[in-house]
Amino acid sequence: HDASPDYPAMILADYLLGGGFMSGRITRRLRESEGLSYGAGTFLKVPPLEDAAVLYGYAIFAPQNLQKVERGMTEELKKAVEGGFTEKEVKDARPGLLQAREQSRAEDGSLALVLAGNLFLDRTLAFEQAIDTALGTMTAAQVSAAAKKYLEPSRATVVKAGDFKPAPAAK
């Protein structure tokens, strides 16, 4: 849940994997390095009242790249769990993540959702500030430990949607 001490570390792990615009490991590998995807990334959903968080990964790609995309995503997830993240990655990602959180709270609709949720949960914006403060001092060891603790690549469910039938032969 989002009051877990590991929650800020998982926010940063998600950002490092693919939650940041064009900066995550999965995005860089599938889109920039290998040219397999038009877009790829991750997003973390953590409920406030129960232990049922989910990390989602996605990629938009041409059908012929299916196996390579799937392999790339799985490999990057395993690397994060087994090898963790570097101090440089965390240091470089931190400003973008904190800025994105700040900008989100500057948007009326987003702020209204946060305030309504806080009202229901009997929280104030001090809760968000505490997360930002934790993110500002987060170490690679903390982020890596949280990823290792919560992410289980062997339990990933893969869902594919699209037209994967081969194109008809030309006549």
Side-chain angles (χ1 to χ4, degrees):
H1 56 81
D2 70 357
S4 164
D6 292 328
Y7 178 58
M10 285 306 299
I11 292 173
L12 195 42
D14 166 53
Y15 192 82
L16 291 165
L17 281 168
F21 180 71
M22 299 299 288
S23 63
R25 286 182 178 186
I26 288 171
T27 309
R28 280 194 316 270
R29 177 171 176 178
L30 297 181
R31 181 177 164 83
E32 295 173 26
S33 298
E34 297 183 16
L36 297 172
S37 176
Y38 307 110
T42 62
F43 55 99
L44 182 67
K45 293 293 181 190
V46 181
L49 299 175
E50 54 193 60
D51 294 333
V54 177
L55 178 74
Y56 295 92
Y58 68 91
I60 302 165
F61 54 90
Q64 66 269 21
N65 294 333
L66 173 64
Q67 276 85 23
K68 290 178 184 176
V69 167
E70 206 171 314
R71 182 176 56 248
M73 289 188 89
T74 301
E75 287 174 0
E76 291 304 320
L77 186 58
K78 285 181 181 177
K79 281 184 203 175
V81 170
E82 294 169 7
F85 300 98
T86 68
E87 285 299 339
K88 181 173 178 3
E89 282 178 300
V90 170
K91 181 180 175 249
D92 291 350
R94 186 180 293 122
L97 174 58
L98 288 170
Q99 183 178 25
R101 289 177 54 81
E102 184 178 322
Q103 285 177 337
S104 175
R105 291 188 296 265
E107 297 170 1
D108 291 346
S110 200
L111 180 59
L113 285 174
V114 169
L115 292 172
N118 283 350
L119 185 62
F120 175 76
L121 297 165
D122 197 28
R123 293 177 179 164
T124 67
L125 285 176
F127 180 81
E128 297 296 322
Q129 181 59 54
I131 291 170
D132 288 352
T133 299
L135 290 169
T137 60
M138 191 73 43
T139 66
Q142 291 170 300
V143 178
S144 299
K148 187 175 195 100
K149 181 177 179 180
Y150 295 106
L151 301 178
E152 298 179 38
S154 65
R155 293 187 58 201
T157 299
V158 178
V159 177
K160 302 167 209 145
D163 185 357
F164 296 103
K165 295 180 221 163
K171 292 183 181 186

